[in-house]
Amino acid sequence: MENRLHGRKQHIRALLIDRVMLQHELRKLTVEGCQYRTIHQDLMKDLLRLSTSTYSQVRNRAQTVLFTALGTYNFCCRDLIPHVLQFLNPDNSSVTQQQFKGALYCLLGNHNGVCLANLHDWDCISLTWPAIVRSGLSSAMSLEKPSIVRLFDDLADKIHRQYETIGIDFAIPSECCAVAKQLMGTAAPVPSEPVPTDENVAEGLQRQEQKNTESVQKYNQLIVDLLDNLSNRNLPWKFEHIAIGFLSLLLRDDHQLPPAAITFFVKSLNHDSLYVRKVAISAVAGIMKQIKRPHKKVSVSPSKLCDIKGSSNIVAGDRPDNKWLQYDSSSLPRTQEAWDTCVFVEKTHWGYYSWPKELTMYAPSEEQPKQDLTRDEMTEREQIIYDHFTDPAFINQFIEFLSLEDRKGKDTFSPRRFCLFKGLFRNFHDAFLPLLQPHMERLVADSHESKQRCVAEIISGLIRGCKHWSYPKVEKLWKMLCPLLRTALSNITIETYADWGTCIATACESRDPRKLHWLFEMLMESPVNGEGGSFVDACRLYVLQGGLAQQEWRVPELLHRLLQYLEPKLTQVYKNVRERIGSVLTYIFMIDVNLPFTEPTMSPRICDFTERVLLRLKPLTEGDEEIQNHVIEENEVGEQDERTQAIKLLKTVLKWLKASAGRSFSTAVTEQLRFLPLLFKIAPVENDDSYDELKRDAKTCLSLMSQGLLYTEQIPMVLEVLREIAGSNSWHARYTVLTYLQIMVFYNLFTVMSDQEIVNSIRSLVIKLLEDEQLEVREMAATTLSGFLQCNFLSMDGPMQAHFEALCKTRLPKKRKRELGAMVDPIPSADLVRRHAGVLGLSACILSSPYDVPTWMPQLLMDLSAHLNDTQPIEMTVKKTLSNFRRTHHDNWQQHKQQFTDDQLLVLTDLLVSPCYYA
């Protein structure tokens, strides 16, 4: 009986929900339904009561209606939130677990609806967020119930994903108010409201100021409430994490955190929980941005700095008016006077294309905020951070936590920690360096992964944070850092080399290279010296590459020095060093681009480098001898011949070409295309399962270069190279020419088609290779021709058809003579090649139209069928073609057969034995 009563109650509630839904839909059809009246308020309360019902079905259906209603009536959420939060109040002991879960679902909302916990209103979140945290003390909350834990996780995640910073200051500029007043005073159109009087404006400004004051008070009160909840020792750990997450969302650019919140976050840097420490690191980094002191800037005229009048035209590249920005070892700021008079430009893009309308630089040091502040000269917020980071015990614990391993094998350089240290050294200069230096020396000597990563993050933040330090401090800093970096590079491991590369690249980003000349000169000290083995050499190059890549066009001298240093080492025997040198070469030549309105670069030029390399590769380019991959043992001594040295050089060049294809600003330049003959000579026809670095890299280079965008003037040069290779003795090279040609044409289709002379040249090359003496080359030429016909790059015209038909009529030696031994030679006779070429041409034309029957196809099929009984490989080609024709035209044969005459259909019927062809 009791179960039956419960069932009836549930049924009644479901009927009530249906009635409410019907009323809701009817209201949506009327204008009055959008006005929030007393009856709507009562209905919302009823829906909330049903949404927290004991029965899950009732809750689900009621919540669906509630979410729809929340989106219909504006501002009804404010009226509903206090009632929802009553179910989360820990003092309300009468709340059941079902009501508790229902209230959480109401706060969460549906996928596309309103989220009550994340409303863009200070009144709402100032009530909701503390209530969510305090609900962890409710008797209805149980962390042992997975559904409740999942609800809180979803709620916190949704708030973090959807939260948008709520404005505090809603002031309207006076200029906007004046323009609005002018608009309202116009005669057409006539405004519906009268022009506000001065009294109305004053009243509005007063209300605006009052509203802003209330927003600040609610913002501060929300932080106080969250901190009070965090001070409760009975609060479960999950709700502590939720509260800290909410607190981190309240960091803003226009309003600093209260000192109490700063104290909490700084102390949380040494919290036992990893999650809390991560949030605290991000929060303290944000606090550093809030409290940093602004640095004064002054306008600078680039033309006065270089005594050259700037041009009004935009010309990219190295120009006389931006030469003073480039790295020059003879004029580096190595003294206090030179440092103070040097105009540093931190942004890399400034000056390369043009100068900003107003170029602003940092003012001299005497006009900047005072350095070396005493504690009494600091603000309260600065004192909190200063007190903690000058405490040896706090620093010891902090570094100990930072040097712990988080996820084994998955940890990487942390931008959050970098930003924290950057802010510390930017705001407080070298105040914390005496305490951190012993830790850095200890960590850099430890080869453990997490220790190395920690010191890399500190060093990168230190280099970026010293941007505004005085010259004596910077000079002292680099005297300390250079030995540390040398030690770090000598202890580098496979797990940490990427972190050190990121460290140096991050440190050099958006920094004037003249400010970092200590770093660059240190990294340029014999990176490939063999100390530590090939791995350490490759890592030193990787770290150097990371720093130089950030400077792009501003370090031509360093790039020339590095290229001069690396050229004798291009014949490295170690694969990892060759790969790294190839990658470094890509960045050395990165700025050598040939684009409109671009001046020639002062950085190394590819054309000069290519000339020198091709001269050293002469032992490979001369003659037709096959190039083998010589593997030199590490312990092999003695002089090696020129050919072996050239092969090792070629391996490095291939690494450079591969890396350049994906990182350069432009595709293969004209000078790189000069390597094509050598690449065609090496690349294999088919995939080789055996490990052959040389052939694999050559094939990859050909594939990448064929996919590159070609300029109109480069295409004739490429075709000339392809014609030259097509006449070589190696059939592998002739075969590869066709695969290269296919990709090149398809990637540059419209450029190639715009010049009919180029199209005719490609057509003649393919038809020529169709008569090649090697079977594989002829078949690939037929495939290439078919693809060109199918994409309408070439057209099947009368001369082409006549040419193939003439080749097909080539007479062959009689069968009797062949049986007597006239065809013992495995190389087929010229007559057989010509006849097979004609058949392949007809086959390519037929296969180029797999889903239709052009007017020329029936006759070609008849011509092809006449060779069904020819000798091999002609017979096999005909059979393959007819089989493919049957497969591709099977579905639409009833329509396609209308293009054939009765006699032609009879012939096809004999050739293609399938029921669908008799229909």
Side-chain angles (χ1 to χ4, degrees), residues 865-882:
S865 64
H867 301 278
L868 187 58
N869 296 319
D870 278 9
T871 185
Q872 297 294 358
I874 299 176
E875 180 184 357
M876 182 60 66
T877 301
V878 175
K879 288 183 177 180
K880 286 182 179 178
T881 304
L882 293 175

Side-chain angles (χ1 to χ4, degrees), residues 730-850:
S730 171
W731 73 266
H732 291 83
R734 301 196 300 271
Y735 181 98
T736 311
V737 163
L738 290 164
T739 60
Y740 186 95
L741 189 62
Q742 290 177 20
I743 304 173
M744 186 199 78
V745 170
F746 292 145
Y747 273 82
N748 299 273
L749 185 62
F750 300 107
T751 305
V752 176
M753 290 183 69
S754 62
D755 191 333
Q756 187 59 40
E757 184 178 349
I758 294 177
V759 175
N760 295 336
S761 179
I762 294 175
R763 171 175 168 166
S764 62
L765 178 59
V766 175
I767 292 179
K768 174 187 174 183
L769 291 175
L770 202 61
E771 300 180 36
D772 194 89
E773 63 181 14
Q774 189 70 25
L775 174 62
E776 289 85 353
V777 178
R778 295 198 301 272
E779 290 180 340
M780 178 53 68
T783 303
T784 304
L785 177 62
S786 177
F788 288 169
L789 290 170
Q790 188 168 355
C791 69
N792 290 326
F793 174 69
L794 298 178
S795 58
M796 181 58 189
D797 52 15
M800 181 183 290
Q801 182 176 350
H803 175 71
F804 292 147
E805 290 175 345
L807 291 176
C808 289
K809 294 177 181 178
T810 304
R811 296 180 62 85
L812 296 177
K814 293 184 179 179
K815 186 176 182 180
R816 182 177 60 82
K817 291 183 179 180
R818 291 201 301 271
E819 291 175 351
L820 293 176
M823 296 294 292
V824 175
D825 192 347
I827 299 178
S829 67
D831 293 337
L832 178 60
V833 169
R834 288 173 56 81
R835 190 178 180 95
H836 188 215
V839 172
L840 285 172
L842 297 179
S843 173
C845 296
I846 292 171
L847 297 179
S848 67
S849 299

Side-chain angles (χ1 to χ4, degrees), residues 625-643:
E625 183 181 352
E626 185 179 356
I627 301 175
Q628 297 291 339
N629 182 11
H630 293 263
V631 180
I632 309 299
E633 298 296 334
E634 296 179 12
N635 56 358
E636 184 174 334
V637 296
E639 293 293 330
Q640 300 169 2
D641 59 5
E642 291 184 355
R643 187 174 180 82

Side-chain angles (χ1 to χ4, degrees), residues 497-631:
Y497 85 95
D499 297 322
W500 281 110
T502 307
C503 165
I504 300 301
T506 305
C508 297
E509 182 186 4
S510 294
R511 293 296 305 276
D512 193 305
R514 296 168 294 174
K515 268 189 177 180
L516 304 176
H517 64 85
W518 296 276
L519 174 64
F520 289 120
E521 294 297 335
M522 186 274 297
L523 293 176
M524 292 286 290
E525 297 172 353
S526 299
V528 187
N529 53 23
E531 297 180 4
S534 63
F535 174 75
V536 176
D537 286 348
C539 291
R540 278 194 289 261
L541 281 176
Y542 175 72
V543 173
L544 173 60
Q545 170 186 324
L548 293 178
Q550 300 299 321
Q551 298 301 325
E552 298 177 353
W553 63 283
R554 298 197 292 184
V555 287
E557 178 189 331
L558 293 179
L559 296 179
H560 278 288
R561 286 165 51 186
L562 182 59
L563 180 61
Q564 185 179 4
Y565 173 81
L566 288 178
E567 276 200 48
K569 296 174 172 54
L570 294 178
T571 56
Q572 270 284 332
V573 65
Y574 299 106
K575 179 176 179 290
N576 55 350
V577 180
R578 286 198 307 271
E579 289 182 346
R580 184 50 54 195
I581 290 178
S583 182
V584 171
L585 288 175
T586 300
Y587 287 97
I588 289 178
F589 300 114
M590 181 77 73
I591 305 301
D592 186 17
V593 293
N594 183 18
L595 297 173
F597 307 106
T598 303
E599 289 289 328
T601 180
M602 295 177 62
S603 299
R605 306 293 300 275
I606 296 178
C607 57
D608 302 330
F609 176 73
T610 304
E611 288 290 344
R612 297 192 295 268
V613 169
L614 287 174
L615 190 62
R616 298 170 61 181
L617 291 177
K618 268 192 174 182
L620 302 181
T621 57
E622 295 175 348
D624 295 328
E625 183 181 352
E626 185 179 356
I627 301 175
Q628 297 291 339
N629 182 11
H630 293 263
V631 180

